[in-house]
Amino acid sequence: MLFGKKKRRICRLLIVEDEPLVAFDTEHFLREAEFEIVATVDRVATAVEVIRTAEDIDLVLVDISLADGSGLDVAHEAHGAGIPVLFVTGACPEGARDVAAGCLSKPYAQRDLLAAIAAIEAVIEGKKPKKLPNGFSLFEKAA
């Protein structure tokens, strides 16, 4: 097919967000954008369990402040499993570069979230991202 869609490398996402409306909106929007949501969870312990047991997670979207701890703990677990992490948070935490592919500042537009995911995907594929969205810091190593 001449004008077919490019096959995505990042398809299966884990969302870790303890604000219910943000979690619901993010999950709904990403499903509409044809991503598969492995799980949407609100606790560090649950996220760690999903990372350890779920198959084929391509990217973890994680907030820093969670009800039972820090999203950094989730990021460390995902990084150890070779899964890229995108922090979606008000302020990028100290040490984020060591365990994440990037950081997107809240609040963000839906198109900026898609562009951040696309930028991480480009790095994973060894390419240079075309344009970075507002409020997004890309860390050159993707996993």
Side-chain angles (χ1 to χ4, degrees):
M1 182 185 302
L2 187 58
F3 295 105
K5 277 185 159 179
K6 175 187 171 261
K7 182 160 171 38
R8 285 184 176 149
R9 186 175 196 133
I10 295 177
C11 300
R12 295 174 45 87
L13 308 175
L14 169 60
I15 300 170
V16 186
E17 171 64 61
D18 68 346
E19 178 59 46
L21 288 176
V22 174
F24 175 80
D25 285 347
T26 302
E27 180 177 336
H28 177 73
F29 166 70
L30 290 171
R31 281 191 201 281
E32 290 291 314
E34 299 182 359
F35 286 95
E36 182 180 343
I37 307 304
V38 174
T40 300
V41 301
D42 63 355
R43 305 183 70 73
V44 172
T46 310
V48 167
E49 183 64 25
V50 171
I51 290 167
R52 289 179 180 170
T53 60
E55 292 184 26
D56 300 327
I57 298 172
D58 298 320
L59 181 67
V60 177
L61 306 176
V62 63
D63 192 5
I64 289 299
S65 299
L66 300 170
D68 67 337
S70 171
L72 275 169
D73 295 330
V74 175
H76 280 283
E77 186 71 30
H79 180 72
I83 303 168
V85 174
L86 171 60
F87 284 114
V88 284
T89 187
C92 202
E94 187 75 32
R97 287 184 176 278
D98 298 333
V99 293
C103 191
L104 180 62
S105 296
K106 285 182 181 176
Y108 53 81
Q110 293 176 340
R111 71 181 176 279
D112 290 341
L113 177 57
L114 289 178
I117 293 170
I120 292 169
E121 187 172 58
V123 171
I124 290 170
E125 293 174 343
K127 300 175 185 169
K128 183 166 176 51
K130 291 179 179 144
K131 184 178 181 216
L132 300 181
N134 292 330
F136 176 62
S137 297
L138 178 66
F139 311 140
E140 288 304 314
K141 60 174 182 37

